[in-house]
Structure formats: C-alpha cells, structure tokens
Amino acid sequence: MISPINEPAGLLDFSSKLIRWYHRHHRDLPWRHTNDPYRIWLSEVILQQTRVAQGMPYYLRFVEQYPTLRDLAAADEKEVLRLWQGLGYYSRARNMHQTARLIVQELGGNFPASYAELIKLKGIGAYTAAAIASFAYNEPVAAVDGNVYRVLARIFGIKTDITSSGARKEFTALAQQLLPPDDAATFNQATIEFGAIQCQPVAPDCLLCPFNDVCYAFAHGAQAQLPVKGKKNKVRDRYLNYFVVEKEGRLALRERTTKDVWQGMYDFYLIEAAEETTDLNELESDHVLAHWLEMGEVVRTAGPYVHLLTHQRLYARFWHLRMPPERSLLLPDNMAFYNQEEVEELPKPVLINSYLIQYFFS
Ligand code: SF4
C-alpha cells in the first residue's frame, strides 16, 4: 500500500479530493435528483445489470408507468416483466415487485429508512441497502459495488481476490473508514462515479487522475492486474428446441413457471436436448410433439441462435409448425393461443422476441 494515503490526514484528503472530483465531473442522471428511496432502489436494480445508457430508458419508462412504490405494488406481475423485457435477470424484477407489495401490505407503504431494515428485504443485498440508506437518508454506510472494488484495489494496492468470501468485508471496512460521516451520499456516489468514468476497467485515465501521485496501480503499472478476480464460473451449454405452433394466425405460448431462467416470462413449447440436433426424429419420443407432427407440418426451421446468459450459453433452434384450422389441438398445461396483439403484450425473453420480430410481427 502507498503510505501517505494510509495516514489519517491522507484518508481525509482522499475523501475531499474524491468529492471535489465528483462535483466537477459527475454525470447529470435523473436518479441523482431525488431522495425518494423507491426511485433510488429502482435505479440501482436497473444499473446492476446494465450500463447507464442502456438502463436510462428503462428507468424513465418505469417511473412514468409506476411513479410511486404503491403504483408498482398495485401492478400486475406480467406488466412489470413486460416493461423489464430486454434487461435480463428477470428474477430481480419479480423480487422488486414482490418487495414493493410487502412494503405496502405489511409496512403501511413506509419504505424502511435504515440499512439494517433495508437488508432484511427480499432482493436487497448489502450494496443496494447501503446505496438506498446513504442516497435517500444520508446514513453513513459505505456502498461497495464493482466500481468501488476497482478504485480501492488500484489506489491502495489491495490484492485480495474480489470474488473470495472475505473480500466484501475487507473492502467495505476500508470504504467505511474513508467515508466522511456527514456526507455519505456524496462520497458513495463519488466513488462509484469515479470507477465508472475515470478509473475504468480497461482504459483508466491515469494521466488526468487526481490520485496518480499516490495510486499503487499507477506507480507499479498494475492497472490491468487490479482488482484481482478469481476464475470465472464455468459456462454451461444448453440446447433448446422451440416449437412455434401456429393456428389461424395465432401462436401457442406458455408461461415459464419452473425455477429456471426466465421464470414468469412466456416462450414456446420447449424440448431441451443433451446436444444440438437438426433431426426431428430424435425428438419425437416427446408425445406432445408427436401429436402435433401428426396434425400439422413444419413450415420453417431457424437457428441455431446463440444467446449468452451469465452462466449459460443457449443454442436455440426454432421449428415452426402450422396447424390446419379445422382440427382441435391438445395443448399442455400453461399453454394457450394468443393473437398477434396479445403476443406483443406478453413478457418474453429477448431470444423469443427476436424470433417473433423476424418471422411473426409484421
Ligand atoms: S491513477 Fe489510474 S489506476 Fe490509479 S486511481 Fe487514477 S485512474 Fe485509477
């Protein structure tokens, strides 16, 4: 570690330098103009999975549709997921919706006003609880996200693997030590913003950085090595065969109810295989598919489309089956026919929506 910054005076200097930098360089973002905990929470959940530029339209649409916590609590889950469509990590939207309901129904609509209370809520982890507590209530708790890990690891030369179990405790303790108790909100915003626009992962702007006289990474040319990140989790390959059943211009979709990716969203009938196949005979042991193939014809195949999730790589192939209008058709549970307008309204994974845009929506 670099010594000057570890001295008490150095710590004070760190915070004031950082806050000065923030006042000069921060971006003007809508969630920085509010201390409404609901809106701060919403922005944090959106920004956990996307960059500001991509997340902004979602945030603006959400606050327009659900301006208050009570509006979100009163919404139908399907509508919430539809609005979230394209952001991914749909369980976060579902958790947020359920937590909004809990706050309204069990806490009289009063948003918990302290870190200790916030962290008890479903879907609110240590970072989000600290962000809401400090930004909305100025509670002196350090909010440590990926940006903060990077900034602290580089400046202080911390080599702890940030994916290890003790990392959060270590980095949070340091951030807490640096945080000025009377201005927690600005300090947290400043550290996060500094990581996002000055001390970026790949190309940190070291030459114009106010910390380049004390930064360990700059002094040692170790920007690319810090923070230390353990091995990435293995990515699992999955092979999805989707059957798009069309009858009289309507499509059969089903709600995904099992605990898997995209719970609560809508997709087509799915047969998952151990490996990729282009041969329908290999899938015909599925009795629903066998029944459909007897009745209709395959009018198109498309794919494979490769879709990446955090820990999964999906290879999706679509088989479009057209059914004759005169015959009635058996559909599995959770499945129903929808016309084009209804299909558009359903919440769908991006993969499914891309297929529909290409081949179904005119
Ligand atoms: S000198 Fe470079 S690595 Fe160090 S804090 Fe500044 S931008 Fe980050």
Side-chain angles (χ1 to χ4, degrees):
M1 289 199 198
I2 293 266
S3 54
I5 217 159
N6 286 322
E7 303 300 326
L11 294 182
L12 260 183
D13 196 38
F14 176 89
S15 310
S16 48
K17 249 190 196 177
L18 188 68
I19 288 172
R20 267 202 308 280
W21 174 92
Y22 179 73
H23 286 310
R24 290 178 62 183
H25 298 285
H26 74 269
R27 294 163 295 179
D28 186 18
L29 303 172
W31 45 88
R32 292 195 173 138
H33 294 289
T34 180
N35 53 11
D36 175 352
Y38 160 63
R39 292 188 177 208
I40 291 167
W41 177 38
L42 175 64
S43 71
E44 289 301 332
V45 178
I46 289 174
L47 292 177
Q48 268 166 35
Q49 55 218 31
T50 189
R51 289 170 183 279
V52 166
Q54 283 101 28
M56 180 84 81
Y58 283 91
Y59 174 83
L60 296 174
R61 277 201 293 273
F62 256 84
V63 294
E64 193 187 334
Q65 185 94 4
Y66 310 122
T68 68
L69 180 80
R70 285 183 185 277
D71 295 318
L72 176 62
D76 185 70
E77 183 181 275
K78 235 188 262 176
E79 282 172 26
V80 175
L81 290 173
R82 179 68 181 83
L83 214 54
W84 199 263
Q85 187 173 300
L87 266 178
Y89 297 96
Y90 297 97
S91 59
R92 291 186 185 162
R94 278 202 316 276
N95 285 341
M96 193 170 68
H97 183 228
Q98 285 167 14
T99 298
R101 287 194 162 164
L102 181 140
I103 296 173
V104 168
Q105 286 162 9
E106 294 180 23
L107 307 176
N110 299 314
F111 214 99
S114 70
Y115 175 87
E117 291 301 313
L118 286 161
I119 199 148
K120 290 182 193 158
L121 297 171
K122 186 174 178 181
I124 297 194
Y127 165 73
T128 310
I132 300 169
S134 61
F135 302 158
Y137 308 114
N138 213 12
E139 185 178 336
V141 280
V144 177
D145 74 345
N147 291 304
V148 179
Y149 277 122
R150 186 167 58 256
V151 170
L152 297 183
R154 284 178 174 168
I155 295 181
F156 291 87
I158 303 170
K159 310 216 176 61
T160 307
D161 178 349
I162 61 167
T163 63
S164 66
S165 56
R168 171 159 290 281
K169 214 171 161 196
E170 182 181 349
F171 281 85
T172 304
L174 174 58
Q176 194 65 41
Q177 209 187 337
L178 296 166
L179 177 141
D182 56 346
D183 202 3
T186 315
F187 175 82
N188 282 338
Q189 293 276 21
T191 328
I192 295 164
E193 187 75 341
F194 185 81
I197 64 179
Q198 179 88 29
C199 191
Q200 293 187 355
V202 178
D205 188 3
C206 299
L207 291 180
L208 296 177
C209 174
F211 295 107
N212 61 14
D213 55 339
V214 291
C215 175
Y216 174 94
F218 185 60
H220 294 81
Q223 294 94 326
Q225 283 74 50
L226 292 170
V228 176
K229 261 191 216 170
K231 285 203 181 73
K232 284 196 175 154
N233 286 334
K234 258 188 121 180
V235 173
R236 176 161 72 109
D237 289 329
R238 293 176 74 176
Y239 301 95
L240 311 181
N241 295 285
Y242 272 121
F243 293 89
V244 186
V245 175
E246 181 181 349
K247 191 166 185 269
E248 298 173 278
R250 297 185 309 151
L251 295 186
L253 280 91
R254 55 147 205 180
E255 185 179 358
R256 292 177 63 90
T257 52
T258 51
K259 276 224 171 296
D260 192 356
V261 293
W262 305 329
Q263 194 182 350
M265 313 284 282
Y266 284 72
D267 65 359
F268 305 115
Y269 188 69
L270 169 66
I271 301 178
E272 189 163 352
E275 52 192 39
E276 201 182 343
T277 182
T278 54
D279 183 0
L280 263 190
N281 294 323
E282 290 180 21
L283 305 172
E284 267 186 68
S285 58
D286 183 285
H287 69 278
V288 174
L289 176 62
H291 162 69
W292 287 343
L293 289 173
E294 267 172 31
M295 297 189 57
E297 58 169 334
V298 177
V299 293
R300 176 188 309 116
T301 61
Y305 296 87
V306 183
H307 188 76
L308 285 177
L309 301 173
T310 318
H311 304 302
Q312 300 184 26
R313 185 169 25 234
L314 309 179
Y315 296 87
R317 187 174 291 279
F318 292 86
W319 315 75
H320 199 114
L321 300 177
R322 190 159 294 144
M323 298 297 166
E326 67 280 2
R327 299 188 59 183
S328 62
L329 194 71
L330 290 178
L331 291 182
D333 289 348
N334 296 333
M335 212 160 190
F337 277 108
Y338 299 91
N339 65 29
Q340 179 166 337
E341 215 171 282
E342 291 164 334
V343 171
E344 284 194 43
E345 288 306 311
L346 293 173
K348 302 166 290 295
V350 166
L351 178 66
I352 301 298
N353 207 42
S354 307
Y355 178 85
L356 288 166
I357 288 170
Q358 194 170 357
Y359 294 110
F360 187 65
F361 296 147
S362 43

